[in-house]
Amino acid sequence: MISAVMPTYGRADIAFERGEGAWLWSTDGRRYLDFGSGVAVTALGHCHPRLVKALQDQAATLWHTSNLYRVPGQERVAGRLVAESFADTAFFCNSGAEANECAIKMARKHHDDAGSPQRGQIICATGAFHGRTLATLAAGGQEKHLKGFDPVTPGFVHVPFGNLNALRAAIGPETAAIMVEPVQGEGGLVPASADYLRGLRAAADEFGLLLIFDEVQTGMGRTGRLFAHQHADLAPDIMTLAKGLGGGFPVGACLATEKAAACLTAGTHGSTFGGNPLAMAVAGTVLDVMAEPGFMDRVAVMGARLRSGLDALAARHPAVIEEVRGLGLMLGIKARIPNTELSARLLAAGLLTVGAGDNVVRLLPPLIIGDAEIEAALSILDRTLTEVTP
Ligand SMILES: *Cc1c(COP(=O)(O)O)cnc(C)c1O
């Protein structure tokens, strides 16, 4: 008999009842070190006192009014995001997929308004992940996610990630935009080189395309800069955010330049829940905490520390680790044994991780992680890697 909860996930048989910082407690009383952060979401750890207070205060004041009225929290958060980025404006929604839907609609309408309605096609990269709605599934283009859901939403083509020649060859009279993740997350922690990102910018400029960065996973400090593309010192026309933006409260955003966003006039796009006062109270506080002096530098330092610990483990366990890769606190171990087996062993040993494509185990600790927790995780990894060495 089907379970009351629709069985769309392969879940581990474990439930958590409490969290604090980088730690979670399961209903059977065990303590776990959380290096998954709910898939890069709880950027400030569990129950960060400032987020708890922001949410509680807002909950006692006003939850929801809809977008029929001004929402002062949106004005505040959008102002902050605009001040910290290339963007001039932000649209709020509830998830990463929705943020990407906004980006895709914007790219198409931008060209339609400019008198080129045939320019509706988005060039994406192989190995991409952009969400689970019908359009974002087509944008991801992964067979394992699309299978059984034909017809595939048209308007997306794919070229190998990292290959500028293939990208340029795919540009045609119907191309509207290029959409990529600065570091592919679900695809296996594959960072784009700065040269590749600059090449995308140049191609977009040359052919009048919009450049969309999906920073749903890489954004909000995950890579040691507020937005991952800032490492490469260039700007897209559109950027999507979600995961870390609400620190665990569902909220997404699509940021854009005035030129790109001018097409989305009143009535062209919307969301009932998007950017409600609760979401904005939390997102605003996430931004406040991340803007504190030294916060982002510390993420970079902790990322480098975890990375060097992992590199040392890779040298000690070459039979199990093929490679360590990623950026900041978005790191992956490409395993020589099934990543699902390694993840399950780490879970049993008290360390939560997340699987990714290309047989990678993802390490996505909260950005507030400290030395002691990194040491604890490395020591669980060391023991587990010894155990699984064939
Ligand atoms: C998680 C993710 C999404 C989808 O976000 P949802 O909130 O699950 O819709 C889109 N793009 C990237 C890069 C992601 O990592």
Side-chain angles (χ1 to χ4, degrees), residues 52-75:
V52 171
K53 182 164 189 333
L55 187 65
Q56 284 176 340
D57 287 352
Q58 189 61 46
T61 310
L62 185 65
W63 290 24
H64 179 86
T65 56
S66 86
N67 287 302
L68 296 172
Y69 313 101
R70 282 180 46 210
V71 178
Q74 284 184 24
E75 294 166 18

Side-chain angles (χ1 to χ4, degrees), residues 148-293:
F149 298 112
D150 276 359
V152 179
T153 302
F156 300 92
V157 295
H158 293 84
V159 295
F161 186 65
N163 185 330
L164 284 173
N165 290 334
L167 181 279
R168 293 177 74 90
I171 296 171
E174 298 188 346
T175 311
I178 301 165
M179 178 152 103
V180 299
E181 301 155 80
V183 182
Q184 288 194 334
E186 308 297 313
L189 281 285
V190 191
S193 69
D195 279 347
Y196 178 60
L197 296 180
R198 280 194 278 269
L200 296 180
R201 181 69 271 173
D205 290 343
E206 183 178 337
F207 294 95
L209 313 176
L210 294 175
L211 180 60
I212 306 169
F213 286 156
D214 177 345
E215 294 233 24
V216 167
Q217 189 162 159
T218 55
M220 301 308 292
R222 180 51 57 190
T223 69
R225 301 292 297 269
L226 191 56
F227 308 116
H229 70 266
Q230 292 172 333
H231 289 283
D233 211 17
L234 56 83
D237 303 293
I238 304 173
M239 170 174 72
T240 56
L241 299 174
K243 294 200 165 89
L245 178 59
F249 196 95
V251 55
C254 178
L255 277 60
T257 61
E258 179 169 13
K259 187 166 172 239
C263 61
L264 291 189
T265 50
T268 56
H269 192 51
S271 164
T272 299
F273 294 118
N276 87 2
L278 284 177
M280 293 297 100
V282 180
T285 309
V286 169
L287 281 163
D288 286 344
V289 173
M290 288 187 182
E292 279 175 359

Side-chain angles (χ1 to χ4, degrees), residues 24-37:
L24 279 170
W25 283 264
S26 60
T27 47
D28 58 2
R30 277 194 71 190
R31 188 174 80 143
Y32 292 81
L33 190 47
D34 187 0
F35 270 45
S37 298

